[in-house]
Amino acid sequence: MSLSRYHVALVVGGRPMLDGWWGSEEVARRKFAVWVGEHGDRPGTRVTLTDEETGTVLTEWPDTP
């Protein structure tokens, strides 16, 4: 397992604002939830959690239709 397998990214209004990588999916999911809570009220916010090893988006906020 890669030390930086799980990537959480915060984009606001199309501009990257924060990102981080974690080796644990559990830790990355907690960080995802924290960033949604801290920044989710900002217009144009998108938070994604991606498994960099597989290229799969595990979750994103807000949900896409």
Side-chain angles (χ1 to χ4, degrees), residues 6-50:
Y6 300 99
H7 179 220
V8 180
L10 169 71
V11 176
V12 178
R15 296 184 59 180
M17 301 299 284
L18 294 171
D19 63 353
W21 291 263
W22 290 270
S24 163
E25 182 177 351
E26 181 181 336
V27 172
R29 284 186 181 274
R30 282 196 307 262
K31 182 56 73 171
F32 172 90
V34 166
W35 286 3
V36 168
E38 290 178 349
H39 303 282
D41 61 344
R42 298 170 76 174
T45 297
R46 175 157 297 287
V47 184
T48 58
L49 169 58
T50 305

Side-chain angles (χ1 to χ4, degrees), residues 1-2 5 16-17 22 27 33 43-44 55 59:
M1 175 170 60
S2 169
R5 177 174 179 170
M17 301 299 284
W22 290 270
V27 172
T59 190

Side-chain angles (χ1 to χ4, degrees), residues 48-61:
T48 58
L49 169 58
T50 305
D51 180 336
E52 293 291 324
E53 191 171 290
T54 65
T56 304
V57 174
L58 301 174
T59 190
E60 58 189 340
W61 188 93

